[in-house]
Amino acid sequence: KGGLGKWLVMVLDEYFFFFSFFFLFFSLGPRSVTIHDLTPSSWMDLSAQFYLTEDHVRANVPRAQASLAQLGQLNPYVKVSVLEGSLEN
């Protein structure tokens, strides 16, 4: 019983689930993320922050700036930027 009608409902239900997930994931997620960390990279940071390298530590690059490129690659739909300067105005 059901035949083609039952199959059609199953396919439409799967498409509905896919498009609902797609809509929720891409339209309700963040559009941008701003990070702020003016602290220069240190040797101790290398054990906990895997986006930092020895080159960042040697060049005294702030941790936020050093992590920017890798964070931007996590999700191409989210713009990642660094806030430089003080948070107080």
Side-chain angles (χ1 to χ4, degrees), residues 55-70:
D55 292 335
H56 293 129
V57 175
R58 286 188 195 105
N60 234 9
V61 177
R63 293 187 295 205
Q65 193 66 40
S67 303
L68 180 64
Q70 290 86 354

Side-chain angles (χ1 to χ4, degrees), residues 11-48:
V11 170
L12 290 177
D13 283 347
E14 289 178 20
Y15 279 115
F16 178 74
F17 173 76
F18 172 75
F19 287 117
S20 298
F21 174 77
F22 184 81
F23 175 77
L24 288 173
F25 185 76
F26 289 106
S27 67
L28 298 180
R31 300 274 187 229
S32 66
V33 173
T34 302
I35 54 177
H36 180 265
D37 189 350
L38 301 176
T39 308
S41 303
S42 70
W43 291 106
M44 290 179 57
D45 292 331
L46 294 178
S47 66

